[in-house]
Every structure is written in structure tokens, then in C-alpha cells.
Amino acid sequence: MQTIKTDFLVIGSGVAGLSYTLKTARALPGHTFTVICKSEPKESNTRYAQGGIAVSLKTEIDSPEKHIKDTLRAGDGLCDKKIVRMVVKEGPEQLRELIKNGVKFDRNRNGKFDLAMEGGHSASRIFHRADFTGLEIERKMLAKVRKMKNVKIMDHASAIDLITNEQIPGKEQNKKSTCYGAYVLLEKKKDVIALLSRITVLATGGVGQVFEHTTNASTATGDGIAMASRAGARIKHMAFIQFHPTALYEKNKSRNFLISEAVRGMGAILRNPDGNSFMEYYDPARDLATRDIVARAIHSELERSFTEFLYLDCRSISKKEFVKHFPTIVARCTTAGIDPSRQMIPVVPSAHYCCGGVSTDQHGRTSLKNLYACGECAETGLHGANRLASNSLLEALVFANRCSVDSVKRIDKIKNPGFVKKYALEYKPLLNEKELERFMSQSKKTMSRGVGLVTNVEKIVGGLKILNEIKKELEKKYGRVIHQKLLTLRNMLDTDLLILEDSVKRRKNAGVFFNENLDFNKINLIEVNKIKEVDNNLVRV
Ligand code: FAD
Ligand code: SIN
């Protein structure tokens, strides 16, 4: 097995990994950096981000205090207030750095930034580049990182497992307290190597692909969280999976196209199959309530109408404005045969964001020494039980910066171990890929049925049973083999179990987590209000 030494190993090339690398490699030009990514470097959740970045400046209409309040309200009592304050306060500086790095944000006719509105925000504060903000960031950052002489990017290189004390001869065995890099599968060479590093950064993104319907990139299979958990790192809040209310409804897609919340920010409204609006029954903020409320309201309307999708009505927005703000959405709808200026867009909630992850402190340090985590794979305390729209890119930038500052300070005290044990599994071609695909589809279905928008104890326990069985069968049949599809499936199953185990332990509903056994009255209250309203209408008629 080949062993490569690097000072810094960054796992992931989305906004978190690239931003960390750019800052740290500039600060330490004499050190070596290796960035690995599972697919093409650009493929990530970052590249699909539409709405933008929530940053609040002190103006007539907005203030950091208002942003803090909105974030805490969305997080439903489970945010870490100190972290929320810190992230909101550090946002403007990170935004300025992005702009310095060449990232462009839209401006209005007066030359001022064009700030968009999204659900749960009390002011327009979303900096955006039309509806392709993520792609703009990804492209610009990647181009900068590629130019750094001390950075090597390895694509189609999947981290399989983190290297801890257990694999380093002479170190304390059976005590996984320090991280020394990762074993990596080079997909094109079909080979496993060890990347030994002094500092390792997990920036592996989210978990959406463990569900049947998701807005997430193909790379979002929970790898970083699963690896960290196997290595003994502390994982937190995995039950808090956020569903985006409005993904374009299309059958049999591995990724559902997103219809940005900024569209509702411009005045679009949700309608049921009868053409009636309904958000007024669920929240005073109507279509701009926080995501958990809007997504559950849609779920409830879908159940009531026995249909598979509802509608987003954008016809009140001027066609010119719509095309200017949402060119990607217009292009995608056109491909699907929909003209949003004349027809309503069929939408459905879709798994979108993992609010939990690898637990970190305010510097992005995890519970394993020399292992940092930032971006969607980290649980920093910002989101609590529900992420406020467009706070994710903000969190990734602020924490990539914090990880960078802290690791620059610490690197001189950390040594590279130099030698590592061979990885226990070997690359082998798969004899039965169809079987793996079956396991994968079964696990996705189980997750979607088990812990969707509304869950209950029976569903969670049933899910745990099925997924544990799939895991056992996989182990029995493929225990000694390593292969791209297998490692993804193993990580997906470990992620599933982390989500379900956290779900089964929760005694209280909060934010995006809703177990109907715990809060049956809340559903009934909505139903009662609706029936009352219908009765009133009947009386009025
Ligand atoms: P990612 O950008 O997902 O990058 C993960 C990286 O890790 C990839 O390079 C991948 O290849 C790599 N990786 C994964 N596993 C491995 C492995 N085993 N080995 C090696 N590499 C690995 N947030 C906002 O704030 N505003 C928005 O407008 C917004 N819109 C969104 C729209 C969509 C459709 C989606 C899906 C998300 C959106 N989000 C938005 C959320 C936000 O985009 C993500 O949370 C954020 O981009 C995550 O960045 P990241 O760097 O942590 O991960
Ligand atoms: C969107 O544009 O609706 C996505 C914003 C986000 O996920 O924060």
C-alpha cells in the first residue's frame, strides 16, 4: 500500500473545503496541502446553491440583532446562542473576502447590493448571484485553489476511513483519540492508499442522498459523518433533517431540482390541487414561514388530497423580473415543459439539509485531536433544530475561516507519524452490482418512509430493524471487499442508523423533527382550525 505524506489533508472541495484551503495555503506557503474529492472537484452541494448567503449589515431595515433573533427562532430553542452571535457578527468580513476573491453578487440600478428575502427572515438580507450563487462561488474558489503551488487536488479519490492511533504503530492502541489522515480509494487506479497528515479537515458535506427524494448532489451520502463516527468522534443532532418545501416534482430523478425559496420571497404562493392557497391556516407568516412549517404544511395538504405534488404559483411576478432573478429555474422549467409565467410549477418537499453532524467547538475542532470539521458535515451549534434559509453558506465560510486560523496557530506543534498499518480491506471488482443497487434503493425507501417530514415510533423502530438487517447482510457478503459503490453504501447505512438512533431517543419535537406520537395535539389543532374555517365559509356562503 502506497503512503503519501501531506501537512494538511482536506476532505471535500465544496465551499467549506476550498475556503479553508485557500486561506490556510496562503498563510503557510511552505506547507503541503492535499484536497481530495469523491467525484469531479466541482460536484458538490455548493454548486447547486441557489438563494444565496444571509449576511446582515446595520442598515435602516436590518441589523445583526434581527438576524440573530431569526436564526434562534428557526432553531426552535436548540441553537447555541454564543455561536449564533459569533457567526452573524463574522459574516460581513467573510462576504468581503469572497468578493475580494472575485465572487460577484447582484446589484440593483443604484449600484447597491440586491438583497433577496427568504422564509423565516425578518428583512431582505440574502446576497446572491441570480439563482446560481453556489456555482459562482464554487467556480471562483476552485480556480484560485488550482493556482496554489502548495496544493494538490485529487479527484475521484474517496476517503474510506480516518486513520487514528489504532493504525499507527507505537501509538496508544485501542484508544481512538487522534486523527492522522485517511485511507483513500483512488477510483481510477482501483487502489487504496494512506494519506498521512498532520491536520485533517472534514468538509464532506451533507446526507440528502440517503433519502429517496433529495435536492442534494450525488456526493452527499454522509461519508464524513459516518467516518468520524466510526473513528469515535462525537456526532450530534442527526435527527434534524431539513426538507426543502419546493423541489420540482419529477418522477425517477436521483436529484430533484430546487425551486428556490427566493421565488416565494418575490411573491409566489403555494396552492393545493384545487387551486387554493393554504399557508394562511398554518402560520401568520404564510408562504414565508420557516421551512419546517411550510414543508409540514405541504405534507399535510398532500395527505388530505391524496396527491403526489402541490403547486407553486409564480404568475403574479412579472415575467421580466422572474427571468432576470431566476434564469436557472426558468431554463429547467422550460425543459420540463412548464412556463412559470403562465403555468403553476408542480412541487414536492425533498430532503435538503442535515442540521446535525460532527460536533465541533467554536474553532471547528472535533472531539478527535487534529481533526477539524466545517460546512454541512459539522454540527457547530448554529442551526439547532432547523436551519434558517441561506445560513449554510454563511456557516461554512465563517467556520472554514475559524478552522484555518486555529490550525495555522497549532501546526508547528503537530508531527506527521510517518508510518501506518495497511488498510484491512482490499479493492476488488464487484460481481453483483445489481444487488448493491437493490440494497441502496431499499435503504433509501426505508429512510423516506421511516423519518420523512412526519414520523412515529413504529416507523423509526421498523426502519432501524430493516437497515440493521441490510447492514448485516452486506457485511456477510462483502465484508473484506472495498469498492466505490460499497463504501458509499456502507456510509449511507451508518448515516441512516445515526439518524434513526437519534430520532428514537428524542422525547420532544423541535424544528424539523416531528414524531406524531409525541405531539398529536399539534396536528389536530391545525386540522380543527381548517375545519372551522371551512365551516365559516360554508356559513358565509
Ligand atoms: P459540499 O459543497 O457538498 O462539498 C462536499 C465535498 O466533499 C465534495 O467535494 C465531495 O466530493 C466531497 N466528499 C464527500 N464524501 C467524500 C469522501 N468520502 N471522500 C472524499 N471527498 C468526499 N445554502 C445556503 O446557505 N444558501 C443557498 O442558497 C443554498 N441553496 C442550496 C440549494 C441546493 C439545491 C442544495 C442542495 C443546498 C443548498 N444550500 C444552500 C446548502 C449549501 O449549499 C450546502 O450546505 C453547502 O454548500 C455545503 O458545503 P460543503 O462544502 O460543506 O459541502
Ligand atoms: C433556496 O434557494 O431556497 C435554498 C436556500 C437554502 O437552502 O438555504
Side-chain angles (χ1 to χ4, degrees):
M1 184 189 66
Q2 192 192 2
T3 299
I4 299 176
K5 285 196 206 170
T6 182
D7 294 321
F8 291 83
L9 169 62
V10 180
I11 311 178
S13 58
V15 61
L18 292 178
S19 173
Y20 173 87
T21 306
L22 197 57
K23 279 165 202 264
T24 323
R26 275 176 180 163
L28 300 169
H31 289 68
T32 53
F33 291 77
T34 306
V35 178
I36 61 169
C37 49
K38 200 169 161 166
S39 171
E40 296 299 323
K42 209 166 66 180
E43 182 59 6
S44 58
N45 274 357
T46 300
R47 75 172 281 196
Y48 297 111
Q50 294 187 355
I53 309 178
V55 175
S56 51
L57 308 169
K58 197 154 179 48
T59 62
E60 274 164 29
I61 53 152
D62 199 13
S63 69
E65 284 311 315
K66 278 172 112 182
H67 190 178
I68 292 167
K69 223 165 135 191
D70 295 345
T71 304
L72 292 173
R73 194 182 318 114
D76 209 3
L78 290 181
C79 300
D80 180 330
K81 285 188 188 148
K82 199 174 81 230
I83 298 290
V84 173
R85 190 161 283 281
M86 185 189 93
V87 172
V88 168
K89 290 260 157 85
E90 292 177 13
E93 181 54 32
Q94 295 315 310
L95 185 81
R96 276 192 283 276
E97 274 204 36
L98 266 191
I99 296 170
K100 259 199 236 154
N101 281 323
V103 176
K104 295 237 172 349
F105 292 96
D106 286 3
R107 289 176 185 265
N108 58 27
R109 265 194 234 120
N110 306 326
K112 294 207 164 131
F113 284 110
D114 176 50
L115 302 178
M117 172 58 102
E118 285 182 357
H121 288 275
S122 58
S124 297
R125 60 168 74 102
I126 318 294
F127 289 75
H128 65 99
R129 180 73 171 150
D131 61 356
F132 51 86
T133 314
L135 190 59
E136 168 76 4
I137 296 173
E138 184 68 29
R139 273 197 210 131
K140 300 276 167 69
M141 304 284 270
L142 194 54
K144 294 267 176 202
V145 171
R146 281 192 203 279
K147 283 193 189 140
M148 304 289 300
K149 292 217 165 64
N150 53 339
V151 180
K152 184 174 180 198
I153 301 181
M154 294 168 77
D155 57 75
H156 295 90
S158 295
I160 312 169
D161 263 315
L162 295 173
I163 297 170
T164 61
N165 313 37
E166 284 192 322
Q167 291 88 29
I168 306 291
K171 297 275 173 200
E172 266 181 301
Q173 305 280 298
N174 304 325
K175 198 176 160 218
K176 301 169 177 174
S177 58
T178 307
C179 178
Y180 296 98
Y183 293 106
V184 175
L185 173 66
L186 305 180
E187 206 185 331
K188 289 179 185 163
K189 287 194 180 162
K190 305 186 181 340
D191 197 13
V192 176
I193 61 165
L195 266 167
L196 278 180
S197 57
R198 294 159 74 185
I199 280 183
T200 306
V201 181
L202 276 179
T204 47
V207 310
Q209 284 290 337
V210 307
F211 292 91
E212 220 177 351
H213 305 291
T214 180
T215 59
N216 282 197
S218 59
T219 51
T221 49
D223 293 16
I225 301 169
M227 281 190 288
S229 163
R230 289 195 293 270
R234 185 161 175 248
I235 311 293
K236 220 176 145 188
H237 283 181
M238 288 301 287
F240 299 132
I241 302 293
Q242 180 177 75
F243 284 71
H244 196 292
T246 56
L248 178 64
Y249 172 81
E250 283 178 304
K251 282 210 158 152
N252 304 324
K253 291 272 175 204
S254 61
R255 196 180 80 79
N256 294 119
F257 180 80
L258 185 79
I259 309 293
S260 174
E261 203 159 296
V263 174
R264 270 176 285 132
M266 271 188 89
I269 53 172
L270 289 156
R271 294 191 185 280
N272 64 21
D274 299 327
N276 296 322
S277 64
F278 53 85
M279 274 313 300
E280 58 271 32
Y281 297 114
Y282 294 88
D283 197 273
R286 298 178 163 218
D287 296 79
L288 285 176
T290 51
R291 254 172 221 180
D292 52 336
I293 293 171
V294 181
R296 263 199 305 272
I298 296 179
H299 175 85
S300 168
E301 293 295 315
L302 289 173
E303 298 249 296
R304 138 196 317 282
S305 57
F306 297 100
T307 47
E308 287 185 17
F309 57 86
L310 296 180
Y311 293 101
L312 185 66
D313 186 354
C314 315
R315 293 173 296 182
S316 63
I317 307 170
S318 100
K319 187 170 180 176
K320 199 168 150 218
E321 283 298 300
F322 198 85
V323 173
K324 183 175 141 209
H325 281 88
F326 308 113
T328 319
I329 294 174
V330 170
R332 187 67 186 75
C333 284
T334 307
T335 309
I338 303 156
D339 173 358
S341 68
R342 290 192 304 115
Q343 291 157 296
M344 295 196 286
I345 307 175
V347 291
V348 69
S350 216
H352 184 64
Y353 187 83
C354 180
C355 302
V358 186
S359 175
T360 74
D361 68 7
Q362 74 269 34
H363 305 291
R365 295 180 189 170
T366 70
S367 60
L368 290 188
K369 232 178 175 172
N370 307 334
L371 177 71
Y372 289 82
C374 52
E376 192 168 339
C377 70
E379 198 288 322
T380 65
L382 178 69
H383 309 307
N386 178 34
R387 174 179 67 100
L388 183 67
S390 287
N391 261 359
S392 167
L393 295 172
L394 170 70
E395 181 196 44
L397 291 167
V398 168
F399 270 90
N401 180 55
R402 294 197 137 252
C403 290
S404 173
V405 170
D406 196 63
S407 50
V408 169
K409 273 191 210 148
R410 294 182 53 243
I411 186 71
D412 284 344
K413 297 189 196 104
I414 305 169
K415 287 210 169 68
N416 198 314
F419 195 71
V420 62
K421 288 184 195 164
K422 193 172 178 294
Y423 191 57
L425 315 183
E426 269 185 27
Y427 179 87
K428 291 223 176 91
L430 279 181
L431 295 176
N432 196 346
E433 288 206 24
K434 283 255 155 2
E435 183 175 54
L436 280 199
E437 275 155 24
R438 212 183 57 239
F439 281 148
M440 202 172 271
S441 129
Q442 207 182 341
S443 77
K444 285 182 181 219
K445 281 201 171 86
T446 308
M447 285 304 285
S448 290
R449 284 165 203 172
V451 281
L453 277 159
V454 174
T455 188
N456 59 43
V457 174
E458 211 177 310
K459 284 183 182 173
I460 303 172
V461 173
L464 274 168
K465 191 164 167 276
I466 296 173
L467 291 159
N468 269 313
E469 272 163 16
I470 300 178
K471 195 175 162 177
K472 255 195 234 149
E473 212 175 325
L474 198 71
E475 192 58 31
K476 203 165 84 193
K477 290 193 169 154
Y478 300 93
R480 307 284 310 161
V481 182
I482 194 75
H483 182 282
Q484 182 62 43
K485 281 199 173 150
L486 257 175
L487 86 86
T488 294
L489 182 55
R490 281 187 186 121
N491 286 329
M492 286 169 71
L493 289 168
D494 283 348
T495 305
D496 294 345
L497 294 172
L498 287 167
I499 295 170
L500 290 167
E501 281 157 11
D502 190 38
S503 302
V504 85
K505 283 190 219 138
R506 299 223 156 253
R507 290 289 162 266
K508 231 174 129 189
N509 287 330
V512 294
F513 181 74
F514 193 85
N515 174 344
E516 59 194 355
N517 300 125
L518 299 177
D519 218 347
F520 202 66
N521 287 339
K522 205 164 167 182
I523 290 189
N524 281 347
L525 195 68
I526 290 167
E527 295 306 308
V528 168
N529 282 341
K530 285 199 78 165
I531 290 162
K532 267 195 208 152
E533 186 79 14
V534 171
D535 286 349
N536 286 344
N537 285 342
L538 286 178
V539 172
R540 258 184 256 134
V541 167

PDB file of all heavy atoms in Angstrom, residues 332-348:
ATOM      1  N   ARG A 332     -34.730  25.352 -16.443  1.00  0.00           N
ATOM      2  CA  ARG A 332     -35.079  23.969 -16.050  1.00  0.00           C
ATOM      3  C   ARG A 332     -36.570  23.707 -16.234  1.00  0.00           C
ATOM      4  O   ARG A 332     -36.984  22.635 -16.669  1.00  0.00           O
ATOM      5  CB  ARG A 332     -34.652  23.759 -14.587  1.00  0.00           C
ATOM      6  CG  ARG A 332     -34.783  22.356 -14.090  1.00  0.00           C
ATOM      7  CD  ARG A 332     -33.776  21.460 -14.838  1.00  0.00           C
ATOM      8  NE  ARG A 332     -33.995  20.078 -14.459  1.00  0.00           N
ATOM      9  CZ  ARG A 332     -34.998  19.346 -14.893  1.00  0.00           C
ATOM     10  NH1 ARG A 332     -35.873  19.849 -15.746  1.00  0.00           N
ATOM     11  NH2 ARG A 332     -35.125  18.089 -14.489  1.00  0.00           N
ATOM     12  N   CYS A 333     -37.399  24.715 -15.880  1.00  0.00           N
ATOM     13  CA  CYS A 333     -38.847  24.553 -16.045  1.00  0.00           C
ATOM     14  C   CYS A 333     -39.180  24.415 -17.529  1.00  0.00           C
ATOM     15  O   CYS A 333     -40.022  23.604 -17.920  1.00  0.00           O
ATOM     16  CB  CYS A 333     -39.600  25.741 -15.458  1.00  0.00           C
ATOM     17  SG  CYS A 333     -39.678  25.706 -13.671  1.00  0.00           S
ATOM     18  N   THR A 334     -38.503  25.209 -18.364  1.00  0.00           N
ATOM     19  CA  THR A 334     -38.756  25.135 -19.809  1.00  0.00           C
ATOM     20  C   THR A 334     -38.467  23.721 -20.315  1.00  0.00           C
ATOM     21  O   THR A 334     -39.253  23.140 -21.066  1.00  0.00           O
ATOM     22  CB  THR A 334     -37.883  26.170 -20.563  1.00  0.00           C
ATOM     23  OG1 THR A 334     -38.109  27.431 -19.953  1.00  0.00           O
ATOM     24  CG2 THR A 334     -38.229  26.246 -22.031  1.00  0.00           C
ATOM     25  N   THR A 335     -37.342  23.149 -19.845  1.00  0.00           N
ATOM     26  CA  THR A 335     -37.007  21.770 -20.252  1.00  0.00           C
ATOM     27  C   THR A 335     -38.126  20.810 -19.826  1.00  0.00           C
ATOM     28  O   THR A 335     -38.436  19.845 -20.525  1.00  0.00           O
ATOM     29  CB  THR A 335     -35.687  21.324 -19.568  1.00  0.00           C
ATOM     30  OG1 THR A 335     -34.729  22.321 -19.804  1.00  0.00           O
ATOM     31  CG2 THR A 335     -35.196  19.986 -20.075  1.00  0.00           C
ATOM     32  N   ALA A 336     -38.737  21.098 -18.667  1.00  0.00           N
ATOM     33  CA  ALA A 336     -39.808  20.213 -18.193  1.00  0.00           C
ATOM     34  C   ALA A 336     -41.166  20.577 -18.813  1.00  0.00           C
ATOM     35  O   ALA A 336     -42.199  20.023 -18.440  1.00  0.00           O
ATOM     36  CB  ALA A 336     -39.890  20.292 -16.665  1.00  0.00           C
ATOM     37  N   GLY A 337     -41.160  21.558 -19.729  1.00  0.00           N
ATOM     38  CA  GLY A 337     -42.407  21.910 -20.430  1.00  0.00           C
ATOM     39  C   GLY A 337     -43.309  22.847 -19.632  1.00  0.00           C
ATOM     40  O   GLY A 337     -44.520  22.877 -19.848  1.00  0.00           O
ATOM     41  N   ILE A 338     -42.698  23.588 -18.676  1.00  0.00           N
ATOM     42  CA  ILE A 338     -43.522  24.498 -17.854  1.00  0.00           C
ATOM     43  C   ILE A 338     -43.083  25.939 -18.103  1.00  0.00           C
ATOM     44  O   ILE A 338     -41.890  26.250 -18.037  1.00  0.00           O
ATOM     45  CB  ILE A 338     -43.342  24.182 -16.352  1.00  0.00           C
ATOM     46  CG1 ILE A 338     -43.696  22.729 -16.065  1.00  0.00           C
ATOM     47  CG2 ILE A 338     -44.171  25.126 -15.472  1.00  0.00           C
ATOM     48  CD1 ILE A 338     -43.036  22.176 -14.820  1.00  0.00           C
ATOM     49  N   ASP A 339     -44.059  26.818 -18.338  1.00  0.00           N
ATOM     50  CA  ASP A 339     -43.761  28.252 -18.440  1.00  0.00           C
ATOM     51  C   ASP A 339     -44.278  28.907 -17.149  1.00  0.00           C
ATOM     52  O   ASP A 339     -45.492  29.120 -17.001  1.00  0.00           O
ATOM     53  CB  ASP A 339     -44.470  28.825 -19.678  1.00  0.00           C
ATOM     54  CG  ASP A 339     -44.334  30.345 -19.757  1.00  0.00           C
ATOM     55  OD1 ASP A 339     -43.732  30.939 -18.830  1.00  0.00           O
ATOM     56  OD2 ASP A 339     -44.847  30.925 -20.724  1.00  0.00           O
ATOM     57  N   PRO A 340     -43.365  29.220 -16.205  1.00  0.00           N
ATOM     58  CA  PRO A 340     -43.827  29.714 -14.895  1.00  0.00           C
ATOM     59  C   PRO A 340     -44.620  31.019 -14.954  1.00  0.00           C
ATOM     60  O   PRO A 340     -45.319  31.343 -14.008  1.00  0.00           O
ATOM     61  CB  PRO A 340     -42.525  29.935 -14.108  1.00  0.00           C
ATOM     62  CG  PRO A 340     -41.464  29.249 -14.867  1.00  0.00           C
ATOM     63  CD  PRO A 340     -41.903  29.159 -16.289  1.00  0.00           C
ATOM     64  N   SER A 341     -44.532  31.753 -16.079  1.00  0.00           N
ATOM     65  CA  SER A 341     -45.309  32.993 -16.134  1.00  0.00           C
ATOM     66  C   SER A 341     -46.776  32.699 -16.475  1.00  0.00           C
ATOM     67  O   SER A 341     -47.642  33.550 -16.307  1.00  0.00           O
ATOM     68  CB  SER A 341     -44.706  33.956 -17.157  1.00  0.00           C
ATOM     69  OG  SER A 341     -44.880  33.432 -18.453  1.00  0.00           O
ATOM     70  N   ARG A 342     -47.017  31.459 -16.934  1.00  0.00           N
ATOM     71  CA  ARG A 342     -48.410  31.120 -17.305  1.00  0.00           C
ATOM     72  C   ARG A 342     -48.937  29.895 -16.571  1.00  0.00           C
ATOM     73  O   ARG A 342     -50.125  29.725 -16.404  1.00  0.00           O
ATOM     74  CB  ARG A 342     -48.488  30.863 -18.825  1.00  0.00           C
ATOM     75  CG  ARG A 342     -48.312  32.151 -19.650  1.00  0.00           C
ATOM     76  CD  ARG A 342     -48.664  31.968 -21.101  1.00  0.00           C
ATOM     77  NE  ARG A 342     -47.912  30.887 -21.719  1.00  0.00           N
ATOM     78  CZ  ARG A 342     -48.430  29.767 -22.189  1.00  0.00           C
ATOM     79  NH1 ARG A 342     -49.725  29.575 -22.150  1.00  0.00           N
ATOM     80  NH2 ARG A 342     -47.663  28.835 -22.720  1.00  0.00           N
ATOM     81  N   GLN A 343     -47.973  29.008 -16.178  1.00  0.00           N
ATOM     82  CA  GLN A 343     -48.435  27.761 -15.540  1.00  0.00           C
ATOM     83  C   GLN A 343     -47.866  27.655 -14.126  1.00  0.00           C
ATOM     84  O   GLN A 343     -46.783  28.178 -13.850  1.00  0.00           O
ATOM     85  CB  GLN A 343     -47.918  26.554 -16.349  1.00  0.00           C
ATOM     86  CG  GLN A 343     -48.559  26.420 -17.705  1.00  0.00           C
ATOM     87  CD  GLN A 343     -47.651  25.623 -18.639  1.00  0.00           C
ATOM     88  OE1 GLN A 343     -46.550  26.042 -18.963  1.00  0.00           O
ATOM     89  NE2 GLN A 343     -48.123  24.450 -19.030  1.00  0.00           N
ATOM     90  N   MET A 344     -48.576  26.929 -13.274  1.00  0.00           N
ATOM     91  CA  MET A 344     -48.057  26.722 -11.918  1.00  0.00           C
ATOM     92  C   MET A 344     -47.019  25.589 -11.960  1.00  0.00           C
ATOM     93  O   MET A 344     -47.115  24.667 -12.775  1.00  0.00           O
ATOM     94  CB  MET A 344     -49.199  26.372 -10.975  1.00  0.00           C
ATOM     95  CG  MET A 344     -50.186  27.524 -10.818  1.00  0.00           C
ATOM     96  SD  MET A 344     -51.258  27.324  -9.402  1.00  0.00           S
ATOM     97  CE  MET A 344     -52.372  26.051  -9.944  1.00  0.00           C
ATOM     98  N   ILE A 345     -46.027  25.686 -11.045  1.00  0.00           N
ATOM     99  CA  ILE A 345     -44.947  24.677 -11.033  1.00  0.00           C
ATOM    100  C   ILE A 345     -45.318  23.575 -10.036  1.00  0.00           C
ATOM    101  O   ILE A 345     -45.597  23.860  -8.868  1.00  0.00           O
ATOM    102  CB  ILE A 345     -43.598  25.318 -10.611  1.00  0.00           C
ATOM    103  CG1 ILE A 345     -43.278  26.542 -11.485  1.00  0.00           C
ATOM    104  CG2 ILE A 345     -42.466  24.299 -10.656  1.00  0.00           C
ATOM    105  CD1 ILE A 345     -42.019  27.301 -11.060  1.00  0.00           C
ATOM    106  N   PRO A 346     -45.325  22.306 -10.479  1.00  0.00           N
ATOM    107  CA  PRO A 346     -45.613  21.231  -9.523  1.00  0.00           C
ATOM    108  C   PRO A 346     -44.431  21.028  -8.573  1.00  0.00           C
ATOM    109  O   PRO A 346     -43.288  20.891  -9.022  1.00  0.00           O
ATOM    110  CB  PRO A 346     -45.803  19.990 -10.419  1.00  0.00           C
ATOM    111  CG  PRO A 346     -45.101  20.313 -11.687  1.00  0.00           C
ATOM    112  CD  PRO A 346     -45.074  21.812 -11.834  1.00  0.00           C
ATOM    113  N   VAL A 347     -44.692  21.062  -7.275  1.00  0.00           N
ATOM    114  CA  VAL A 347     -43.597  20.966  -6.306  1.00  0.00           C
ATOM    115  C   VAL A 347     -43.901  19.945  -5.214  1.00  0.00           C
ATOM    116  O   VAL A 347     -45.058  19.630  -4.942  1.00  0.00           O
ATOM    117  CB  VAL A 347     -43.291  22.331  -5.633  1.00  0.00           C
ATOM    118  CG1 VAL A 347     -42.684  23.317  -6.607  1.00  0.00           C
ATOM    119  CG2 VAL A 347     -44.533  22.905  -4.956  1.00  0.00           C
ATOM    120  N   VAL A 348     -42.816  19.489  -4.597  1.00  0.00           N
ATOM    121  CA  VAL A 348     -42.935  18.495  -3.527  1.00  0.00           C
ATOM    122  C   VAL A 348     -41.771  18.723  -2.556  1.00  0.00           C
ATOM    123  O   VAL A 348     -40.684  19.128  -2.998  1.00  0.00           O
ATOM    124  CB  VAL A 348     -42.913  17.078  -4.167  1.00  0.00           C
ATOM    125  CG1 VAL A 348     -41.567  16.710  -4.740  1.00  0.00           C
ATOM    126  CG2 VAL A 348     -43.375  16.016  -3.216  1.00  0.00           C
TER     127      VAL A 348
END
